[in-house]
Amino acid sequence: MKKALSLWLSIALIVIMLPVASVQAAKYLPYDMVGDFSEGLAWYVSYDEESDVERFGFLNTSGKVVIAAKYDWVGGFHDGLAAFELNGKMGMIDKTGKEIIKPVYDVIDEQFMDGLLAVAQGEKWGYINKEGKFVIEATYDGATRFGNGIALVVVNDGYSIIDTTGKQAFEADYDEVFEFTEGYSVVASGEKWGFIDTTGKELVAPKYAEAYSFQEGLAPVRTGNLWGFIDQTGNEVIKPQYEDVYEFSEGLAAVMKNGLWGFIDKSGKEVIKPKYAEVLSEFKEGLVLVSKYDKEETPMQGYIDATGKEVTKFDYDFDGGSFNGGYAAVSDGGFGTYYIMKNPLLAPVSAKPTASKVMVNGKAVSFEAYNIGGSNYFKLRDLALAVNGTDKNFEVGFDKAKNAVNLLANKAYTPVGGELVASGGQTGKSAAPSVSKIYVDGVQAPLKAYNIGGNNYFKLRDIAKAFNIGITFDASTSTIGIDTSLSYTE
């Protein structure tokens, strides 16, 4: 009887455990490595032990393979295209795996810029269009991608700047010249570093011990052994005081003090105290991957948000990536190792209708606005139309391929229909944090947005600050004032 009971318990235990094991196994992807997502797809690596060969392909945010692993290497997707290498030659595919640029080049850049792609045949570089035809012949010893209509090329160990027709814009007589970002290039003469603009004019003559590129309007510079930041007028807005720094991302920059990393905002205010061993990614979608030491000084990885709150458990085996489109591929050392994590910050929140009356330049205007977490959020296009025709107007565009909202100051707004149409009888709704990138005059801006009913809603004060629009509030009448004749104040 005991033997029969023991056998029954063993069978029951197996039956009970099987679903748990299946769920656990289903969490993981059956691939040796998975990269960051870009435009909804992430590359993965499949390893064949018998042939000792790695092959790359792409999967979607559900873990489903959409492009089979057959490439020797792949890059991320940009504007719907990804670079690949096969049998020693490189080309580009679209999201279905169709070859858009045939693999006939020895090296290619990872993305088109200004409609052109830098490619190399043999040891010479040139530029092709999306039809695969050379627009600028391969005659250069080196080349960077275009930006602001110009690119850096190398000719006989010298640097030259060309436009999209291949015409020389100007020579850059420096020992080193780097790719233009946000309209400026880092240059070096001897051991001194500075910046030039797209006309060749020096923003800052070489004087720094080291410098990085501009990102979000600020560039890191080193004086002696300490790092600070300059703005695009060349002024030192954050004085050199850090042992090391990274560029800004989503309004924050990683900085090192006393061997540990923290984060500052663009005013230089310390937002997250230095206590981390390493910073392993940029801020993306409100999260950054960092590591910290335990009591035995063994590093553990995890994600923190922009306030420094640890939003995931820190673990020794954890290895994360950057979030893109709400997802990241991460590993915890378990069976299969890699799995897909949804951004924990993207859980829907409650949005209540804004009860306040709104006046725009003294005139009552009806908005469909919501209060989220104590702040008022307005439909972006409603705000653009409301201030259209004033000296604070701004244009709104959306780049679907890049999932990016583009805002341009001092430009008339182009209505698309449906603006300033209040539905009436507003009720509370669910608001999903937006994962779209936001650009103001070409510079990525850390503006938080929510999607409500298919429309993007932005914090009123964020938009007002970006375009220097005055905001007032009369508590006695619960009236919000939007005044384009005033400057923005906190």
Side-chain angles (χ1 to χ4, degrees):
M1 181 68 179
K2 287 183 178 180
K3 185 176 180 180
L5 180 60
S6 176
L7 178 61
W8 181 88
L9 287 173
S10 298
I11 294 171
L13 184 60
I14 292 171
V15 172
I16 292 170
M17 289 182 66
L18 274 176
V20 177
S22 298
V23 171
Q24 182 73 354
K27 168 184 174 181
Y28 295 98
L29 300 167
Y31 307 114
D32 297 282
M33 189 176 296
V34 182
D36 288 338
F37 281 92
S38 57
E39 299 183 2
L41 299 179
W43 58 259
Y44 73 95
V45 175
S46 182
Y47 177 67
D48 186 333
E49 291 186 1
E50 290 186 7
S51 60
D52 192 28
V53 172
E54 290 181 343
R55 290 286 185 260
F56 289 73
F58 287 93
L59 50 80
N60 62 20
T61 56
S62 299
K64 180 181 178 181
V65 172
V66 294
I67 301 176
K70 63 178 182 179
Y71 304 102
D72 300 326
W73 171 88
V74 295
F77 274 92
H78 302 277
D79 296 329
L81 299 176
F84 73 91
E85 182 178 357
L86 188 61
N87 300 323
K89 295 293 183 179
M90 301 183 73
M92 281 202 159
I93 55 173
D94 66 14
K95 290 184 178 181
T96 69
K98 180 182 177 182
E99 290 183 359
I100 303 302
I101 303 295
K102 297 295 182 182
V104 296
Y105 303 101
D106 294 297
V107 187
I108 64 172
D109 192 7
E110 288 195 44
Q111 67 180 107
F112 280 88
M113 292 293 287
D114 292 335
L116 298 176
L117 180 73
V119 300
Q121 287 188 322
E123 296 183 356
K124 295 296 182 180
W125 287 79
Y127 295 87
I128 62 172
N129 59 23
K130 290 188 177 181
E131 286 71 49
K133 297 179 180 179
F134 273 99
V135 175
I136 302 173
E137 293 298 325
T139 59
Y140 304 108
D141 299 317
T144 68
R145 66 185 57 161
F146 272 89
N148 301 109
I150 61 173
L152 171 70
V153 294
V154 181
V155 183
N156 298 326
D157 296 326
Y159 296 100
S160 185
I161 310 300
I162 62 171
D163 63 21
T164 54
T165 69
K167 180 181 178 181
Q168 179 176 296
F170 60 90
E171 287 188 3
D173 189 19
Y174 299 94
D175 296 322
E176 290 190 73
V177 184
F178 292 85
E179 182 180 323
F180 281 85
T181 61
E182 298 188 3
Y184 297 93
S185 169
V186 178
V187 297
S189 288
E191 297 182 356
K192 299 297 183 182
W193 298 67
F195 296 84
I196 60 172
D197 66 16
T198 55
T199 69
K201 180 181 178 182
E202 289 184 343
L203 172 70
V204 179
K207 67 175 184 177
Y208 291 107
E210 195 173 353
Y212 298 157
S213 298
F214 275 97
Q215 194 160 306
E216 296 190 4
L218 298 178
V221 294
R222 178 166 64 86
T223 300
N225 294 322
L226 297 178
W227 287 88
F229 292 85
I230 65 169
D231 64 17
Q232 293 184 341
T233 67
N235 292 324
E236 290 185 3
V237 292
I238 301 175
K239 68 179 183 179
Q241 57 189 290
Y242 303 106
E243 296 155 21
D244 202 355
V245 298
Y246 289 149
E247 291 97 335
F248 274 88
S249 178
E250 296 190 354
L252 298 177
V255 296
M256 178 189 281
K257 271 193 171 182
N258 300 319
L260 295 175
W261 290 90
F263 292 85
I264 60 171
D265 65 18
K266 291 184 179 181
S267 71
K269 178 184 176 183
E270 188 179 89
V271 177
I272 300 173
K273 293 184 179 298
K275 64 178 181 178
Y276 294 101
E278 286 185 276
V279 176
L280 301 164
S281 74
E282 292 183 323
F283 262 101
K284 292 287 183 67
E285 298 181 4
L287 295 176
V288 63
L289 183 69
V290 296
S291 69
K292 66 179 182 179
Y293 294 119
D294 66 6
K295 293 179 180 179
E296 284 72 39
E297 296 194 356
T298 303
M300 304 180 293
Q301 288 188 27
Y303 289 101
I304 62 172
D305 67 15
T307 68
K309 179 183 177 182
E310 296 179 358
V311 299
T312 63
K313 179 184 177 181
F314 276 65
D315 196 88
Y316 302 102
D317 295 321
F318 187 78
D319 185 16
S322 292
F323 282 91
N324 189 299
Y327 296 89
V330 302
S331 168
D332 62 8
F335 175 80
T337 302
Y338 284 89
Y339 62 96
I340 296 171
M341 175 186 287
K342 189 171 184 179
N343 188 329
L345 300 185
L346 296 186
V349 298
S350 177
K352 298 179 180 179
T354 295
S356 300
K357 179 180 178 181
V358 184
M359 305 287 288
V360 179
N361 293 332
K363 180 181 177 181
V365 178
S366 294
F367 287 89
E368 189 162 304
Y370 293 88
N371 190 285
I372 302 173
S375 297
N376 289 309
Y377 284 76
F378 284 63
K379 194 184 298 182
L380 180 61
R381 290 186 176 276
D382 283 358
L383 287 173
L385 186 61
V387 299
N388 204 26
T390 72
D391 60 358
K392 303 290 181 66
N393 58 6
F394 60 93
E395 177 66 298
V396 177
F398 183 71
D399 188 326
K400 185 176 180 181
K402 296 181 179 179
N403 191 25
V405 177
N406 297 308
L407 307 179
L408 298 174
N410 303 315
K411 190 172 182 180
Y413 173 67
T414 305
V416 297
E419 293 92 345
L420 292 175
V421 177
S423 62
Q426 285 177 264
T427 58
K429 294 186 178 180
S430 177
S434 173
V435 296
S436 297
K437 295 179 181 178
I438 316 298
Y439 292 87
V440 178
D441 293 332
V443 177
Q444 191 170 353
L447 305 184
K448 191 170 186 178
Y450 287 90
N451 190 283
I452 303 174
N455 294 300
N456 285 319
Y457 285 73
F458 284 71
K459 188 185 294 186
L460 176 60
R461 284 194 168 272
D462 281 354
I463 295 298
K465 185 176 182 178
F467 300 106
N468 196 29
I469 299 170
I471 299 295
T472 61
F473 182 71
D474 186 336
S476 64
T477 59
S478 188
T479 300
I480 298 170
I482 300 174
D483 193 336
T484 58
S485 69
L486 301 176
S487 295
Y488 177 79
T489 56
E490 295 288 355

